[in-house]
Amino acid sequence: MLNNGASNNTLLLLARILLAIIFIWAGYGKLMSLTGTAGYFTSLGIPAASIVAPLTGLVELIGGLLILVGFQTRYAALVLAIFTIAAALVAHLNFGDRGQTIHLTKNLAIAGGFLALIAAGAGTYSMDARKG
């Protein structure tokens, strides 16, 4: 039933949309509140938080947009998979806090979704497919 080209391409589009939403939203939020983002990063012990904050927001926003439209999808997915695992390791290793454990496993699941996109590509409904 789901093992045909049209279904697979529709599912890849849906997967890209769902993965992109969290990064577009988070990146935009970080860029609109750089002081708060930098303060949070400082509380995590991240050096040069005032530089890392806008870079993080840009990676999330631009990466999310690339995934959404399916442009350079495999590269964007690789960058976001690495980014997501790194974020999990930096910010979500407090195993005494159930919320942090949930964020850790959520990040790992998101990275898994990006690995699947790396393997499958963006599908027919993407800019990657249009450029051949």
Side-chain angles (χ1 to χ4, degrees):
M1 177 175 91
L2 292 177
N3 195 18
N4 66 53
S7 292
N8 288 345
N9 286 303
T10 301
L11 290 172
L12 284 169
L13 173 61
L14 181 58
R16 289 195 345 258
I17 292 167
L18 294 174
L19 284 166
I21 288 169
I22 193 169
F23 288 90
I24 294 168
W25 185 260
Y28 177 79
K30 284 178 180 68
L31 292 171
M32 293 299 104
S33 180
L34 286 174
T35 303
T37 301
Y40 175 66
F41 286 176
T42 299
S43 76
L44 294 174
I46 296 173
S50 63
I51 295 169
V52 174
L55 292 177
T56 299
L58 286 171
V59 166
E60 289 179 332
L61 180 62
I62 293 169
L65 290 170
L66 290 173
I67 295 294
L68 179 67
V69 300
F71 182 72
Q72 297 292 317
T73 305
R74 286 185 163 108
Y75 295 115
L78 176 62
V79 168
L80 288 176
I82 293 167
F83 173 86
T84 303
I85 292 168
L89 296 175
V90 168
H92 304 304
L93 288 180
N94 180 357
F95 296 111
D97 180 343
R98 178 146 169 75
Q100 290 302 315
T101 304
I102 290 169
H103 284 300
L104 172 70
T105 56
K106 170 201 52 105
N107 279 28
L108 295 177
I110 290 168
F114 285 128
L115 294 177
L117 275 183
I118 293 168
T124 299
Y125 310 124
S126 67
M127 291 183 70
D128 288 345
R130 289 183 182 259
K131 69 176 180 160

